[in-house]
Amino acid sequence: MKIAAAALLAALTANQSSAFAPTRSVISSTKLSSTVQPPERTAPDAGYIPDWEGRTGLSPEEFIASDMSKPDLSGMWECPLTRWDSENIDVAEAQKICAQQPHCPLEMKATAEDNAKGAAYFSENKEQIRADLLKYGAIWFRGFDLMKSVAGNREMHEALGLDPCLDPLHSSGLRKFASERDALYEEVNKPSLRQHYIGLHNESTAKRTAAYAAFVCFQRATEGGGRFLVADGAAILAELKPETLEKLYNRKIRISVSNLDIPPSLPGVVKEGIKGLVDVAVAPKFDMDLEMIYESDGKPGRLQAVETAESPINRHPVSGLPVWFSNSHNHARKLRDRRPCGVPEVGMTEVFYADTMEPLDLEDCQEIKRASEKHITALSMEPGDVLLVDNYRALHGRDVFQGDRFHAVTWFTWDQNEAWRGDERRIVEKNAFNQAINQMMDWLPKDFESNQS
């Protein structure tokens, strides 16, 4: 998930003295808000909220067990480069085409006969499932017994011919493996982030994007909440006000993925030295094209790691359909400040107009919120359920939850196009940095609440 914001959480602060640590007690006014007091927080909306069915799963010892007779997938493919095709899009025509697309996700509910077939159900229906994935953008496999375990989940995606790859933000340390040999990442289940609402996003950066994903539920949240969110990028594009969409498409956006607050009174030469140190020693460890910029959001002394300019509309690499391909709903500060958020200041994000590097205004943020949340399906995923996602078409997120929750995800590269897939594979020996950051993320207290200033 692209809360890569927390990507630099440990890396930027691990070796800093306390004088450089972000304070949580000072509230100041910046370009991000017009008042000193933070705005009221309200839970985001969803267009469709299916009922729970009360299905049970396996014990943790049972569902986590890997099939040791299967080959080790830890040396999986690198996440492929992002495929951009965003020039010369007729926005009005794109909205007309997107308005004609079917509802996302397609729901496929298992029958007793389907469950009796096990993995054979997926191999027998492979071509139709792959065609439906392209057509609908996501498929919710509901009530399948096969995927109640790590081993069965792997059987499912192997039967479909999907080829695992790394998370585009693997080096960030935000994610850890649930089963490394099965190419299965644990979803964002960390206790410190359970009260953090994860907004809609594609699993992508300006540089790398997974082609597909399979999100699986092994254990729903024990004390409530934790619905998985999915929305169609085509539906969002069709829904947005034409003037807002044209404005964002023409101006493009840039996303800041981290804040490092240093004392603004430091001499300029010292601040430039810190900027250079972060740029040379830390940023390269994250597989993103980042520019270190001071005070883009108006906060004195704030150093932000900002991605390159990108279009919020992109043509789907296979179908050519123009879709909303933007993480703005997740990353816009004005939206994060108005909903449950459990990310420390160093991990807070912002979305800027690329031409002026000014944060998106509240009106545009609210329109992105309205159009996006109208088309959210807040899935009631239970043990064995899988959401298969076309990552260039559908956006995903996660609601807050209470108790313990265990969802996981496998990312996939282009299995039918070697040129798009590339020839890079994971170098397992370089995993130490990832593991170190993940351990530091686990040190955050449960139900951490950030200071939104």
Side-chain angles (χ1 to χ4, degrees):
M1 303 222 160
K2 201 182 176 189
I3 49 176
L8 299 179
L9 169 64
L12 288 177
T13 58
N15 297 315
Q16 299 292 328
S17 67
S18 59
F20 290 76
T23 176
R24 295 178 54 195
S25 60
V26 178
I27 298 178
S28 61
S29 180
T30 74
K31 286 192 289 185
L32 298 174
S33 60
S34 58
T35 61
V36 173
Q37 293 301 319
E40 181 182 358
R41 295 182 183 279
T42 57
D45 298 322
Y48 177 47
I49 306 176
D51 292 333
W52 297 98
E53 295 186 339
R55 284 178 277 112
T56 59
L58 306 175
S59 69
E61 294 76 15
E62 291 172 316
F63 72 64
I64 203 64
S66 177
D67 182 350
M68 301 306 291
S69 69
K70 295 261 188 183
D72 190 336
L73 299 180
S74 59
M76 69 200 83
W77 295 106
E78 176 60 88
C79 184
L81 297 176
T82 303
R83 303 204 61 78
W84 287 106
D85 183 8
S86 58
E87 298 299 319
N88 303 315
I89 293 176
D90 184 325
V91 172
E93 184 63 24
Q95 288 196 292
K96 292 178 184 177
I97 297 172
C98 286
Q100 300 170 7
Q101 303 307 306
H103 174 75
C104 167
L106 172 66
E107 183 177 338
M108 299 184 71
K109 199 163 185 178
T111 65
E113 182 182 1
D114 297 334
N115 271 325
K117 290 183 177 180
Y121 169 85
F122 294 94
S123 57
E124 291 173 6
N125 294 284
K126 171 183 174 181
E127 298 306 321
Q128 185 60 53
I129 289 172
R130 296 292 294 261
D132 284 341
L133 182 60
L134 182 64
K135 178 180 179 180
Y136 293 92
I139 303 173
W140 180 14
F141 294 104
R142 197 174 188 189
F144 283 82
D145 293 334
L146 176 68
M147 292 89 81
K148 287 185 176 182
S149 68
V150 168
N153 182 67
R154 176 170 171 174
E155 285 189 66
M156 176 274 298
H157 67 69
E158 289 182 337
L160 291 175
L162 297 168
D163 205 352
C165 72
L166 292 175
D167 186 300
L169 295 169
H170 174 78
S171 62
S172 71
L174 186 61
R175 286 277 183 75
K176 62 182 178 182
F177 285 110
S179 179
E180 186 171 355
R181 70 181 314 277
D182 295 296
L184 186 67
Y185 285 89
E186 184 177 342
E187 223 187 277
V188 184
N189 304 312
K190 294 178 184 296
S192 58
L193 294 174
R194 62 188 173 189
Q195 288 302 301
H196 174 70
Y197 177 95
I198 301 173
L200 292 178
H201 60 286
N202 307 93
E203 201 68 22
S204 70
T205 68
K207 184 176 181 180
R208 293 190 184 273
T209 301
Y212 312 105
F215 297 92
V216 59
C217 172
F218 296 127
Q219 175 185 295
R220 60 174 285 196
T222 55
E223 298 175 27
R227 286 179 179 268
F228 192 84
L229 312 177
V230 63
D232 187 2
I236 294 172
L237 187 146
E239 180 70 31
L240 283 161
K241 292 178 180 178
E243 60 270 26
T244 303
L245 191 59
E246 285 274 9
K247 174 183 177 181
L248 295 172
Y249 176 63
N250 290 331
R251 298 183 68 175
K252 297 188 177 181
I253 63 170
R254 295 185 70 179
I255 296 176
S256 168
V257 299
S258 183
N259 298 329
L260 178 60
D261 290 338
I262 67 173
S265 59
L266 287 178
V269 64
V270 176
K271 292 201 292 186
E272 287 303 309
I274 295 172
K275 174 182 174 181
L277 177 63
V278 172
D279 200 22
V280 173
V282 177
K285 293 182 172 63
F286 297 86
D287 198 4
M288 303 168 70
D289 292 324
L290 298 173
E291 179 184 4
M292 300 300 159
I293 304 176
Y294 272 113
E295 303 174 2
S296 291
D297 65 359
K299 179 69 178 289
R302 175 165 290 169
L303 179 62
Q304 294 180 289
V306 186
E307 288 194 90
T308 54
E310 57 192 67
S311 170
I313 307 176
N314 193 26
R315 293 183 182 90
H316 190 281
V318 178
S319 69
L321 179 71
V323 296
W324 178 254
F325 186 71
S326 174
N327 296 332
S328 300
H329 183 263
N330 186 40
H331 285 336
R333 179 70 184 246
K334 291 182 178 68
L335 296 184
R336 282 194 164 192
D337 281 353
R338 288 166 171 79
R339 67 190 183 211
C341 181
V343 172
E345 184 58 56
V346 71
M348 288 298 288
T349 55
E350 182 57 290
V351 183
F352 301 90
Y353 301 108
D355 55 355
T356 61
M357 281 304 294
E358 294 177 330
L360 266 59
D361 61 42
L362 182 58
E363 183 179 359
D364 287 345
C365 288
Q366 294 287 25
E367 175 58 10
I368 291 171
K369 170 183 167 64
R370 182 198 68 80
S372 298
E373 293 173 13
K374 179 178 178 179
H375 294 282
I376 287 177
T377 297
L379 301 179
S380 49
M381 290 182 69
E382 297 181 298
D385 286 3
V386 165
L387 183 72
L388 189 62
V389 170
D390 181 329
N391 194 41
Y392 277 86
R393 171 72 181 272
L395 299 89
H396 62 275
R398 191 218 65 202
D399 203 353
V400 299
F401 67 96
Q402 296 79 41
D404 297 319
R405 174 183 185 271
F406 203 110
H407 286 223
V409 59
T410 297
W411 306 106
F412 305 101
T413 188
W414 301 104
D415 56 279
Q416 298 173 341
N417 192 318
E418 292 185 5
W420 291 4
R421 182 200 66 201
D423 58 5
E424 298 178 86
R425 282 194 176 271
R426 178 190 182 206
I427 302 174
V428 180
E429 290 74 17
K430 291 186 177 182
N431 200 43
F433 187 70
N434 172 281
Q435 293 177 332
I437 295 179
N438 228 302
Q439 290 173 356
M440 295 186 74
M441 286 292 293
D442 287 335
W443 293 345
L444 285 174
K446 294 182 178 181
D447 301 325
F448 180 90
E449 291 184 2
S450 61
N451 172 38
Q452 310 300 322
S453 56

